[in-house]
Amino acid sequence: MTAWEPIATTEPSATAPSPAAAPVALPAHDVLRAAPEGAPPPTALVFASPHSGDIYPEDMMAAARLTADAIRGSEDAHVDRIIEGAPALGAAVIRARLARAYIDLNRDPWELDPAMFSDELPDFAQGRSARVAAGLGAIARVVAEGRPIYARKLTFAEAKARIDLAHRPYHDALDRLLAAARSTHGVAILVDWHSMPAAAARGQRARGGGPCDIVLGDRFGAACSPRLTALVERELESMGYRVARNAPYAGGYTTEHYGRPARRTHALQIEINRALYMNEATREPTEGLARLTADAARLTQALADLDVSSLR
């Protein structure tokens, strides 16, 4: 049995709203379970898609200089569709509904850029990371091409509202899914699914040569058992994909925050070349989406069959 579990009490409308008119009351994320809520999960697997959301709330667009369509290039479009069959194979899935540019769920929530705000941020919220410097903190300042998103400066109250609405509930739900997996199976395996621009893929050589199709990020071995990374790499290569490790993506906040093998949680980030399944200019899926979806199911089955007691 599977069931979508919205975090908010307001149900989504039957007809999807246009990105620029989406109300904040919509659920910020969904959970697709592999078993009814409260029942033991059938496997240790938890899949996450933090960047596939495509809803742009009114409060964001009222402050923006760009249209929602101009911002959409930052989305990991269709990644949630690639893994939508995972619950039938025993993996729970959590996916964002709100756009990455509204609040990035793969960042520390307080990784904020002081230059974006009209008031002074608390010390704990003054991000000083390379991501913030590039304009890609928890609330993005620019789109990938470097164009500013906002027509005015935001306030700290606006940032906190986004964190309370979307970031905190998402990670609370993810925490619960991982805790349930550990309680039942003694270990949890988190796979964080993303997509990357074709240009980034072309700039990285795969292990077997040529530009990579998929990048596996395990924080250079710190976030999960080497056995897990090797299994995923082997399965993907057997399907014909060119795989690289940890470059140009070693794993973001989710992988780093949750990947604690000594505490029985293994986290691995998977980045997929968008050219494999979509037209990057139009964001429309191509025939490659069906192949990737089928191959993701094969990988999920291989992970479900893994003897988790072998992970160290």
Side-chain angles (χ1 to χ4, degrees):
M1 173 181 177
T2 60
W4 283 111
E5 174 198 84
I7 193 67
T9 56
T10 304
E11 292 295 324
S13 60
T15 302
S18 64
V24 174
L26 283 168
H29 72 262
D30 294 314
V31 173
L32 184 57
R33 297 180 179 279
E37 185 175 6
T43 75
L45 300 176
V46 177
F47 287 0
S49 180
H51 290 164
S52 54
D54 60 1
I55 294 173
Y56 292 79
E58 291 175 348
D59 63 300
M60 174 183 182
M61 300 316 300
R65 71 170 68 230
L66 299 180
T67 65
D69 192 62
I71 306 171
R72 287 195 63 199
S74 63
E75 297 172 12
D76 286 352
H78 311 300
V79 166
D80 53 340
R81 295 175 60 183
I82 292 171
I83 60 173
E84 64 184 0
L89 300 171
V93 174
I94 183 169
R95 67 171 187 178
R97 299 197 66 212
L98 301 182
R100 171 189 189 178
Y102 184 72
I103 182 71
D104 193 329
L105 304 176
N106 198 32
R107 298 284 187 268
D108 183 293
W110 304 114
E111 198 172 348
L112 301 176
D113 182 352
M116 291 181 62
F117 295 89
S118 60
D119 49 352
E120 186 172 354
L121 299 181
D123 288 343
F124 64 81
Q126 295 189 23
R128 296 177 175 84
S129 68
R131 291 183 294 264
V132 167
L136 299 173
I139 297 177
R141 173 170 47 84
V142 298
V143 293
E145 303 85 10
R147 289 181 292 163
I149 293 174
Y150 294 98
R152 64 166 176 84
K153 292 196 173 186
L154 305 179
T155 66
F156 177 66
E158 288 177 298
K160 185 176 184 302
R162 297 187 191 190
I163 291 166
D164 291 342
L165 170 71
H167 196 288
R168 184 173 291 114
Y170 175 90
H171 284 282
D172 284 349
L174 180 52
D175 262 330
R176 291 193 296 270
L177 292 172
L178 295 171
R182 286 191 300 269
S183 176
T184 303
H185 301 282
V187 67
I189 298 173
L190 169 61
V191 182
D192 204 39
W193 293 79
H194 296 262
S195 67
M196 59 183 169
R202 287 193 297 269
Q204 180 60 41
R205 307 291 288 181
R207 186 174 67 159
C212 66
D213 297 317
I214 294 175
V215 177
L216 304 180
D218 62 5
R219 306 297 299 181
F220 299 95
C224 69
S225 165
R227 179 181 174 86
L228 178 62
T229 306
L231 169 65
V232 173
E233 182 178 60
R234 184 169 62 251
E235 290 292 326
L236 291 171
E237 288 182 339
S238 74
M239 299 175 202
Y241 295 103
R242 294 171 297 196
V243 181
R245 290 196 192 187
N246 292 308
Y249 306 104
Y253 171 77
T254 299
T255 312
E256 183 175 14
H257 180 73
Y258 293 101
R260 297 287 189 271
R263 299 180 185 177
R264 302 182 296 138
T265 301
H266 300 263
L268 179 68
Q269 179 174 287
I270 296 180
E271 291 270 0
I272 303 169
N273 182 349
R274 292 173 186 165
L276 293 177
Y277 70 90
M278 65 180 275
N279 180 315
E280 286 192 87
T282 65
R283 294 183 292 275
E284 291 298 316
T286 63
E287 292 179 357
L289 181 63
R291 178 200 169 188
L292 264 171
T293 302
D295 288 342
R298 289 174 57 190
L299 176 60
T300 303
Q301 188 62 64
L303 289 170
D305 293 339
L306 175 66
D307 177 6
V308 295
S309 67
S310 67
L311 297 180
R312 295 289 184 270

